[in-house]
Amino acid sequence: MKRKTAFLISILLALVVVASIWYGRHHGLLPAAAGKEAVLYDRLFGTLIGIAFGLFLIVQGVLIYSLIKFRRKPGDTADAAPMHENLSLELVWTAVPTVLVMWVAIYSFDVYTEMRGTGALMMAHQHHHAPVMVADASGTSPLFSPDATTEVAEPLALEVQAMQFAWIFNYPGDVASAELHVPTGRRIRLNFAAMDVLHAFWVPELRLKQDTIPGTPTHLEFTPQKTGEYSVVCAELCGSYHGGMRATMVIQTPEEYQAWLTEQQELAQAYDGSMIAGRLEPSLDAGQIRQLQSRFMASGGHLNHSHS
Amino acid sequence: MTQVIPHYPMGDAQPNRTPWWTYFTFSTDHKVIGIQYLVTTFVFYLIGGALAAIIRTELATPDSDLMPPEWYNGMFTMHGTVMIFLWIVPSVTGGFGNYLVPLMIGARDMAFPFLNALAFWMIVPGATLLMGSFFVGPASTGWTAYPPLSILTEQHAGQIMWIFSLLIIGTSSILAAVNFVVTIWSMRMPGMGLFDMPLFCWATLAAAIMVLTSTPVLAGALILLSFDLMGGTNFFNPTGGGDPVVYQHLFWFYSHPAVYVMILPVFGIVSEVLPPHARKPIFGYKAIAYSSMMICALGLFVWAHHMFTSGTPDWLRIFFMVATLLVAVPTGIKVFSWMATLWGGKLRLESPLLFAVGFISMFVVGGLSGVMLGSAPIDIHVHDTYFVVGHFHYVLFGGSVFGIYAGLYHWFPKMTGRMFNEFWGKVHFVLTFVGFNLCFLPMHILGLMGMPRRVAQYDPQFTTINQICTFGAFLLAISTIPFLVNAVYSWLWGEAAPNNPWQALTLEWTTTSPPHPHNWEGDPVLETGPYDYGKDYSQSSLVRH
């Protein structure tokens, strides 16, 4: 009887493991991955949602089984057999979650550093991060050396202004655009300035988000991989039309990107360096943006929002 | 149950029945105060729920078409504020805590009865200010009120009223917490050690310590914010060199512990409801007691996980990620212990147990998504999205509110001296369970796919899922009707309740229903431990009062 129960439980647990792994790979809960970081994110997310799904099945399974199996029979007024504690069982359900969350913390930290491009915490199974590859003369700790597989040392840096309720992306040659155009395969660095209140730059397909803070510069780095048009969403409540503060991000091949930039630079020269390129949605027109931008420039790039 | 149950028709004096007008007085009786809290906060639950229904109606379509977007911002700001500060916090601490703690530890009242009444009556000016702000344009910067938006807001007067309302309610909460700590520490009846207390008292103690540690910090932040708002100072205003991120630290130093203040007493309720309805001792008493204290300690060091995208330094993100994930350990201990309590029991599948099991089932979902959110890289994508909205509603509704309902059904006979109608209790449970999951489960998908929170308009690709949420929200609104009707009808005309309808072993069941004004006519007698089910009590006065 006891062996039969143990066998049955093993089978059920095996099924739960299979279901978790399957769900971790087929959850379909995330949009397309458009950047290198998004691919890393999706691997971590798949693992965590798989584990969560398995635990979900176990807990709900036990609850439903208990409700059916252990319901009181009519007329039975006696108490159930008392069971106050079981030390080994309690040790297991303390130790296993502890190990599990510590593992989640280390794995998350590893992914986090890799997404940030600041070098990865070494994990035995990720041999491509072997510290010997980045041995250099400067004496930097190998733990925090740049990943040897990172493509380009110098990221493409763009200045970004966030304001109620629009984004402005600045390119070399006096180009200010309401659309964010970036080339694939190159690390991009966005330097944010918030001109009024907090905003947050979020592209769901990049799985990255960064608050923009008035008075404090912040930045975000990522490497676009997949061409296409994506939404830039403001994720920090910024006022009445927060929900409408959106822009488009266009990921292009380096050639397309260069062609777009050249075109914009020519237009900007033709229009006295104050051209606002691209579409604007939904609440500000080009004139308003220009006004805001000149106010921003006049203040020397510092916050210049006065409130009466 | 061989006892003869007397029947008291409507209007007849039950023994010890409190006249209705007492509830409108400055009574210092902890039982009156407890019910004052429970009824008052339930009214605010209905108001907060109505606001939620308005929010979900706006979100039934992708455009902002039901009301101007600034109104919408006011709706969700007030929804969050009312639900947290006028419903869950005061009902689980002030309501259940006041009613139950003295009865459970064999005391005649709380340590400071006058302070207790004062704490309750402070809710009145606090709530009046908050509700009054609807007339001047309510605060519309979210329940977080992040500057600079909260300083530059056009709802200037509403924001100021919001701040002062929270200061008053926060003070009320501190006064109540002092009372709980002193009462639990020093007023236990002779023979009751700390580890003989019912687990609800442990949970309340842990929650009270968190209130005392963290609420003053919120008060400080709000006072400085009010200076910025009214006096033009620059504590958090970057134009004058202030730092808005400092406000976030101060705010979350309170507001994350506040989550535990809202859930710890409910953990306690569930630990009280499960054993008598499963006819089994609570599994792992000490582990559950210690885990409450561990959550109390760890919970004070996780606040910055709300700020992973605020430009916080890396080491800070790592520290708070690890601390946050560790909270899963004591929480897991509780969940597993509850499951083991059910295992092998003789479950009485009535409303109290159904809601308690519903609590475990739903809270676990919130816990699992909480572990995912604790992971910094995962959080960066879903922070400030509907994933988070889904997560915390699984904790605060699936957790706290399901637990509150379990407690309301469980102690209704004790509090009112009458039984509720079990059939309508079951209807209430099924509607709540289905409505809740329809409303909040799809929100996880919305957030992951790209819908931010606090928006009146959204990408049309999310329309269908939003409409499912809205349908669930309406079902949830309807689900409160059977409860309300049942509670009011049963309170007035229900069958008279025996002293101990559940044959439970904690002390509150040894007195009459409702209890004597001094809780026990004679002295309370401690005959058993709170969870000694499965022993032979045929001789005990407990079972056959």
Side-chain angles (χ1 to χ4, degrees):
Chain A
M1 181 63 196
K2 244 192 160 164
R3 277 179 63 177
K4 202 178 141 195
T5 316
F7 179 72
L8 214 69
I9 291 176
S10 319
I11 295 277
L12 283 173
L13 278 179
L15 282 176
V16 166
V17 170
V18 171
S20 309
I21 294 172
W22 183 88
Y23 189 71
R25 294 181 180 194
H26 299 92
H27 55 77
L29 292 169
L30 289 166
K36 191 182 141 198
E37 297 73 17
V39 177
L40 296 169
Y41 182 97
D42 291 6
R43 213 167 55 203
L44 174 64
F45 182 85
T47 309
L48 294 190
I49 195 89
I51 295 172
F53 185 68
L55 291 170
F56 172 84
L57 289 181
I58 291 172
V59 172
Q60 311 296 348
V62 169
L63 289 178
I64 292 169
Y65 178 81
S66 302
L67 287 182
I68 296 167
K69 170 86 179 170
F70 301 122
R71 68 186 191 283
R72 188 164 67 163
K73 311 293 176 291
D76 183 357
T77 52
D79 285 355
M83 172 173 66
H84 286 275
E85 54 193 5
N86 180 331
L87 193 63
S88 45
L89 197 60
E90 290 178 80
L91 281 177
V92 167
W93 71 45
T94 308
V96 171
T98 309
V99 172
L100 194 64
V101 296
M102 282 298 102
W103 178 80
V104 168
I106 293 170
Y107 184 19
S108 299
F109 179 68
D110 191 56
V111 171
Y112 177 76
T113 45
E114 210 176 337
M115 284 173 78
R116 305 264 293 171
T118 49
L121 185 73
M122 301 312 152
M123 290 187 74
H125 63 276
Q126 287 177 323
H127 58 273
H128 61 279
H129 292 145
V132 282
M133 291 170 69
V134 287
D136 65 3
S138 67
T140 358
S141 153
L143 201 64
F144 294 103
S145 297
D147 190 328
T149 56
T150 305
E151 297 84 358
V152 186
E154 188 71 11
L156 170 62
L158 301 173
E159 305 299 313
V160 181
Q161 288 127 33
M163 66 199 66
Q164 290 173 325
F165 299 93
W167 300 95
I168 300 179
F169 305 96
N170 297 285
Y171 290 84
D174 283 337
V175 173
S177 171
E179 276 184 359
L180 173 61
H181 285 248
V182 286
T184 52
R186 182 158 177 203
R187 198 159 178 83
I188 311 292
R189 180 183 169 106
L190 302 180
N191 294 314
F192 297 109
M195 296 169 64
D196 34 45
V197 297
L198 299 171
H199 301 277
F201 176 94
W202 179 38
V203 177
E205 286 80 3
L206 294 178
R207 317 278 192 269
L208 290 174
K209 187 179 287 126
Q210 175 60 53
D211 288 5
T212 71
I213 303 166
T216 308
T218 54
H219 69 272
L220 185 67
E221 294 193 10
F222 61 98
T223 310
Q225 276 184 338
K226 197 173 165 208
T227 57
E229 286 198 11
Y230 308 96
S231 291
V232 176
V233 181
C234 176
E236 183 66 66
L237 177 62
C238 62
S240 307
Y241 292 92
H242 164 55
M245 182 167 165
R246 305 171 77 93
T248 304
M249 179 179 79
V250 186
I251 299 181
Q252 296 169 304
T253 61
E255 298 76 34
E256 285 169 349
Y257 167 75
Q258 198 51 51
W260 173 83
L261 185 60
T262 312
E263 187 195 339
Q264 296 303 319
Q265 284 167 337
E266 283 166 4
L267 279 169
Q269 272 185 334
Y271 286 92
D272 197 22
S274 55
M275 175 66 188
I276 303 292
R279 290 176 271 146
L280 284 168
E281 293 179 294
S283 52
L284 290 180
D285 61 28
Q288 285 171 292
I289 292 281
R290 197 175 302 135
Q291 209 184 339
L292 278 165
Q293 219 205 357
S294 56
R295 203 171 76 194
F296 180 74
M297 294 308 176
S299 68
H302 296 299
L303 181 81
N304 188 27
H305 188 104
S306 57
H307 180 68
S308 47
Chain B
M1 292 235 288
T2 51
Q3 56 200 338
V4 179
I5 300 164
H7 181 72
Y8 306 108
M10 167 69 179
D12 270 26
Q14 287 164 271
N16 307 321
R17 185 167 153 272
T18 314
W20 63 270
W21 46 264
T22 315
Y23 295 108
F24 294 88
T25 62
F26 193 88
S27 167
T28 55
D29 180 342
H30 72 99
K31 300 182 292 298
V32 172
I33 296 173
I35 287 175
Q36 283 174 324
Y37 266 110
L38 286 173
V39 173
T40 312
T41 55
F42 201 87
V43 170
F44 284 108
Y45 174 50
L46 297 178
I47 294 174
L51 292 169
I54 295 172
I55 291 169
R56 285 312 321 171
T57 309
E58 170 68 79
L59 293 177
T61 57
D63 288 329
S64 166
D65 42 17
L66 182 70
M67 64 188 115
E70 58 271 26
W71 287 22
Y72 177 82
N73 292 359
M75 294 297 141
F76 69 70
T77 300
M78 295 296 274
H79 165 74
T81 309
V82 166
M83 289 302 202
I84 292 165
F85 294 102
L86 291 175
W87 160 233
I88 300 182
V89 171
S91 93
V92 299
T93 56
F96 285 103
N98 271 312
Y99 196 92
L100 295 173
V101 164
L103 284 169
M104 283 180 165
I105 62 173
R108 300 280 178 201
D109 206 316
M110 296 287 283
F112 309 116
F114 178 82
L115 200 67
N116 202 12
L118 188 67
F120 169 74
W121 283 100
M122 285 178 79
I123 303 268
V124 174
T128 309
L129 260 180
L130 196 66
M131 294 298 114
S133 75
F134 273 115
F135 295 101
V136 298
S140 57
T141 58
W143 83 284
T144 53
Y146 277 3
L149 186 63
S150 54
I151 303 172
L152 305 176
T153 177
E154 282 170 17
Q155 278 72 35
H156 202 81
Q159 191 74 55
I160 291 170
M161 289 166 86
W162 181 89
I163 290 176
F164 281 96
S165 162
L166 257 55
L167 283 173
I168 296 170
I169 298 168
T171 309
S172 150
S173 160
I174 292 172
L175 298 184
V178 170
N179 225 340
F180 287 127
V181 172
V182 177
T183 306
I184 292 170
W185 198 256
S186 64
M187 291 181 64
R188 276 169 285 122
M189 64 184 288
M192 184 186 276
L194 277 174
F195 286 98
D196 304 316
M197 288 197 302
L199 286 163
F200 178 78
C201 301
W202 275 102
T204 301
L205 181 64
I209 292 172
M210 296 196 90
V211 168
L212 290 179
T213 321
S214 60
T215 316
V217 177
L218 175 74
L222 291 178
I223 289 169
L224 297 183
L225 187 66
S226 76
F227 288 167
D228 277 10
L229 195 56
M230 299 187 301
T233 54
N234 291 306
F235 291 104
F236 306 125
N237 192 348
T239 37
D243 189 345
V245 178
V246 171
Y247 172 85
Q248 297 180 12
H249 278 290
L250 297 173
F251 178 82
W252 288 112
F253 188 85
Y254 165 76
S255 294
H256 196 79
V259 175
Y260 299 113
V261 172
M262 288 186 272
I263 199 72
L264 275 169
V266 179
F267 288 165
I269 290 174
V270 171
S271 298
E272 297 309 326
V273 170
L274 291 179
H277 295 275
R279 307 314 301 163
K280 261 189 74 193
I282 191 83
F283 187 95
Y285 173 93
K286 278 201 175 172
I288 294 182
Y290 281 129
S291 64
S292 287
M293 300 321 278
M294 258 177 82
I295 290 174
C296 171
L298 276 173
L300 290 168
F301 295 96
V302 301
W303 77 88
H305 68 218
H306 294 269
M307 300 167 58
F308 283 153
T309 68
S310 300
T312 36
D314 280 352
W315 70 266
L316 206 84
R317 300 191 200 195
I318 304 306
F319 174 85
F320 283 103
M321 172 168 81
V322 174
T324 302
L325 290 172
L326 276 176
V327 179
V329 176
T331 315
I333 290 173
K334 284 182 189 289
V335 171
F336 294 130
S337 301
W338 292 325
M339 286 161 66
T341 304
L342 291 171
W343 192 267
K346 294 184 175 179
L347 309 184
R348 178 160 46 205
L349 295 184
E350 293 180 359
S351 312
L353 188 74
L354 288 176
F355 271 103
V357 175
F359 161 91
I360 303 173
S361 167
M362 297 297 94
F363 176 75
V364 160
V365 177
L368 292 171
S369 58
V371 169
M372 298 186 72
L373 282 166
S375 162
I378 296 289
D379 176 76
I380 286 172
H381 172 51
V382 289
H383 176 68
D384 267 330
T385 71
Y386 263 86
F387 185 87
V388 174
V389 179
H391 157 73
F392 71 69
H393 281 94
Y394 267 85
V395 175
L396 291 181
F397 197 123
S400 299
V401 179
F402 272 68
I404 289 173
Y405 277 133
L408 287 176
Y409 281 109
H410 180 67
W411 284 292
F412 188 87
K414 181 55 63 186
M415 291 175 175
T416 65
R418 294 182 187 271
M419 300 302 288
F420 55 85
N421 180 298
E422 176 52 31
F423 173 77
W424 289 106
K426 287 202 175 85
V427 171
H428 173 220
F429 172 74
V430 172
L431 285 177
T432 310
F433 192 82
V434 174
F436 169 77
N437 282 293
L438 276 178
C439 183
F440 296 109
L441 194 62
M443 288 185 183
H444 296 91
I445 307 173
L446 286 175
L448 289 164
M449 295 302 283
M451 181 168 161
R453 63 191 281 204
R454 296 173 171 147
V455 292
Q457 59 202 104
Y458 56 84
D459 193 320
Q461 63 161 313
F462 301 128
T463 311
T464 310
I465 303 182
N466 268 295
Q467 284 170 347
I468 296 172
C469 297
T470 299
F471 176 75
F474 290 160
L475 200 56
L476 215 41
I478 293 168
S479 77
T480 49
I481 296 173
F483 172 78
L484 271 178
V485 173
N486 191 358
V488 172
Y489 181 90
S490 302
W491 200 335
L492 294 175
W493 296 290
E495 188 192 338
N499 294 344
N500 190 1
W502 316 124
Q503 292 91 46
L505 299 181
T506 37
L507 270 178
E508 76 273 22
W509 300 102
T510 62
T511 183
T512 49
S513 299
H516 186 270
H518 298 293
N519 292 353
W520 287 268
E521 224 171 317
D523 284 328
V525 184
L526 195 60
E527 288 188 65
T528 76
Y531 309 110
D532 286 344
Y533 296 94
K535 287 187 188 167
D536 181 18
Y537 284 114
S538 48
Q539 300 309 310
S540 163
S541 56
L542 264 171
V543 181
R544 296 176 195 281
H545 240 293

